[in-house]
Amino acid sequence: RSALNEAYPDETSPEKHLCAICYTKGPGMGGPLKSCAIAARTLSLMFEIPLVGVNHCVGHIEMGRVATGACDPVVLYVSGGNTQVIAYSDQRYRIFGETIDMAIGNCLDRFARVIGLSNDPSPGYNIEQEAKKEGAKFIELPYVVKGMDVSFSGILTHVEQEAKKHLIKGTLTKADLCYSLQETLFAMLVEITERAMAHCGQNQVLIVGGVGCNKRLQEMMADMVKSRGGTLCAMDHRYCIDNGAMIAQAGIMAFQHGVTTKLEDSWCTQRFRTDQVKTVWRPASAWKHT
């Protein structure tokens, strides 16, 4: 109600402007997904308007396309729960590569806790600030790219061991470890993104998801894209991190093309892959292999 009143301050019945209730169908954590679905059903019945279930990952992509003006980019989706390289083809967002164990955001968050960094405003942000400190030196860490997929769990175990061994002795600093971890993880992501660009013949890269706020990741990706004569589409925290607007954006695109969710189908799921969604709002065009 407060959001409606803010959007329509001069209206006594702002709900009359609503045409659909869009909600996150998945993926995500079970508790928040259930709470959201219950609230969405309630509002749909109360206002007698349709429901539209939205894939969280597709929400990120569509918000990114709208916010940056990207037309048909290769997408790097990096967050606390997901790490995927995606390209569009024939009304699906096709996953070209992904993590085979943990998401990059989870890896960064867990390492931040190990070395005692604050959660305010976020562990990943504080790792980024540590890595920027003058004099931070690079140490070699495992680099695990398997075809188009990446693995972070072994790197995390290794860097945790290095931290426990060297921080007490003073032979390495937090800045050294954060800098080395960032450079290694981001280099892996840049590598598989470049391979997807080459395969699909694309010259644009869009970074979405919470980790996409990281300026160093944007800088490394921009260098690669520039060397290929392309452009990078990146955003700040307002659009990278999870937000309701991205669900509304993807939902309204689907709704405008006749997609709604029946009440009996308004369940939610923790497993809902990006390539399971048919993006009927986009043309049925396919990439051309180069």
Side-chain angles (χ1 to χ4, degrees):
R1 174 61 69 173
S2 60
L4 281 173
N5 289 337
E6 184 177 342
Y8 302 100
D10 300 323
E11 296 278 354
T12 55
S13 301
E15 62 274 7
K16 69 184 180 184
H17 294 282
L18 298 177
C19 59
I21 300 294
C22 305
Y23 76 101
T24 305
K25 196 174 182 70
M29 295 184 291
L33 286 175
K34 279 188 175 182
S35 301
C36 177
I38 291 169
R41 290 187 206 111
T42 303
L43 291 172
S44 173
L45 292 169
M46 184 186 303
F47 298 140
E48 298 182 333
I49 53 178
L51 271 173
V52 182
V54 174
N55 178 286
H56 179 100
C57 315
V58 172
H60 272 295
I61 295 170
E62 295 305 345
M63 172 55 79
R65 290 206 310 127
V66 169
T68 65
C71 179
D72 189 21
V74 168
V75 179
L76 176 64
Y77 174 31
V78 279
S79 69
N82 295 276
T83 302
Q84 296 176 342
V85 175
I86 301 160
Y88 174 79
S89 177
D90 196 23
Q91 295 194 315
R92 302 270 176 180
Y93 284 115
R94 313 287 177 172
I95 300 171
F96 275 70
E98 60 191 319
T99 176
I100 60 174
D101 41 46
M102 67 195 310
I104 186 169
N106 190 10
C107 177
L108 292 170
D109 290 352
R110 286 174 61 176
F111 181 66
R113 286 195 291 273
V114 167
I115 60 173
L117 295 184
S118 171
N119 286 332
D120 183 23
S122 71
Y125 175 82
N126 291 323
I127 283 182
E128 182 181 0
Q129 302 316 304
E130 281 288 329
K132 288 179 182 177
K133 288 184 176 177
E134 190 174 347
K137 61 185 180 184
F138 180 81
I139 63 167
E140 189 171 344
L141 298 175
Y143 185 96
V144 191
V145 174
K146 302 184 179 221
M148 283 295 292
D149 296 329
V150 291
S151 172
F152 300 127
S153 60
I155 302 171
L156 177 62
T157 300
H158 181 86
V159 76
E160 284 178 348
Q161 291 171 347
E162 291 295 292
K164 291 173 183 176
K165 184 176 13 175
H166 292 285
L167 287 180
I168 295 175
K169 295 180 181 178
T171 49
L172 289 176
T173 66
K174 291 181 181 181
D176 296 335
L177 294 165
C178 290
Y179 173 69
S180 302
L181 183 61
Q182 267 200 174
E183 294 295 303
T184 302
L185 299 184
F186 295 168
M188 292 161 56
L189 296 177
V190 170
E191 178 185 333
I192 62 173
T193 303
E194 182 174 18
R195 213 175 289 146
M197 287 180 73
H199 185 77
C200 299
Q202 306 286 33
N203 65 357
Q204 268 188 337
V205 171
L206 171 65
I207 306 178
V208 300
V211 181
C213 302
N214 189 292
K215 297 297 183 186
R216 180 55 182 154
L217 174 58
Q218 293 181 10
E219 180 185 333
M220 291 174 68
M221 192 66 72
D223 287 343
M224 179 276 288
V225 173
K226 184 179 179 181
S227 72
R228 298 183 61 85
T231 55
L232 173 67
C233 302
M235 302 172 289
D236 61 26
H237 68 281
R238 295 173 299 169
Y239 303 112
C240 277
I241 63 174
D242 294 351
N243 59 86
M246 73 186 201
I247 302 303
Q249 181 62 51
I252 201 64
M253 285 177 162
F255 181 68
Q256 287 171 339
H257 286 76
V259 177
T260 58
T261 303
K262 294 179 181 178
L263 194 64
E264 57 266 31
D265 295 328
S266 61
W267 39 265
C268 51
T269 175
Q270 292 181 270
R271 297 182 182 275
F272 190 8
R273 287 178 61 80
T274 315
D275 51 8
Q276 286 180 255
V277 180
K278 186 170 185 180
T279 54
V280 296
W281 56 91
R282 294 199 61 182
S285 58
W287 45 266
K288 296 178 181 179
H289 180 55
T290 58

